[in-house]
Amino acid sequence: QVQLVESGGGLVQPGGSLRLSCAASRIMVSIYTVGWYRQAPGKQRELVAAITSGGSTNYADSVKGRFTISRDNAKNTVYLQMNSLKPEDTAVYYCNIQGPIRGYWGQGTQVTVSS
């Protein structure tokens, strides 16, 4: 069974950094598109960043220049490095992988940016 496990969330002050990890099992992150999404209370889930099998990346305008998505094929893990965090980045962050038949979601990790 495909499984995605996110980790690395937590409480951080504005301007701080966090690195989220999405560890995949039974599916290879190197051959499918993997995205990081977030959902804040009362808001729709939105795409934050994605990386394709070819290594191309795209970002939401709100995080460009602050967040970086990357992949470690040996560890079958995708990362989201988040710098210069703002209170509006507070949300539950989810990773998603678009497999050959369907997409899969992790359970999410909470990121709270607050002083």
Side-chain angles (χ1 to χ4, degrees), residues 3-4 22-31 71-79 97:
Q3 190 174 23
L4 301 176
C22 173
S25 57
R26 298 190 179 273
I27 193 166
M28 294 176 65
V29 299
S30 60
I31 61 174
R71 184 176 66 206
D72 185 328
N73 293 340
K75 294 183 178 180
N76 208 31
T77 298
V78 174
Y79 302 97
I97 189 166

Side-chain angles (χ1 to χ4, degrees), residues 9-115:
L11 173 64
V12 64
Q13 292 187 342
S17 299
L18 284 173
R19 187 178 80 156
L20 306 183
S21 300
C22 173
S25 57
R26 298 190 179 273
I27 193 166
M28 294 176 65
V29 299
S30 60
I31 61 174
Y32 299 108
T33 295
V34 178
W36 280 99
Y37 292 74
R38 67 186 180 188
Q39 187 166 21
K43 294 188 176 181
Q44 288 188 330
R45 192 171 296 189
E46 63 174 353
L47 177 66
V48 175
I51 184 166
T52 69
S53 58
S56 297
T57 58
N58 65 282
Y59 298 91
D61 287 343
S62 59
V63 307
K64 281 180 181 176
R66 300 189 297 123
F67 291 10
T68 303
I69 189 170
S70 63
R71 184 176 66 206
D72 185 328
N73 293 340
K75 294 183 178 180
N76 208 31
T77 298
V78 174
Y79 302 97
L80 185 68
Q81 177 67 44
M82 305 187 296
N83 299 328
S84 302
L85 283 161
K86 305 175 180 179
E88 51 263 44
D89 294 318
T90 296
V92 179
Y93 284 70
Y94 301 89
C95 67
N96 169 277
I97 189 166
Q98 291 298 311
I101 299 174
R102 51 159 288 190
Y104 299 88
W105 292 93
Q107 82 288 351
T109 185
Q110 176 71 47
V111 171
T112 303
V113 185
S114 175
S115 55

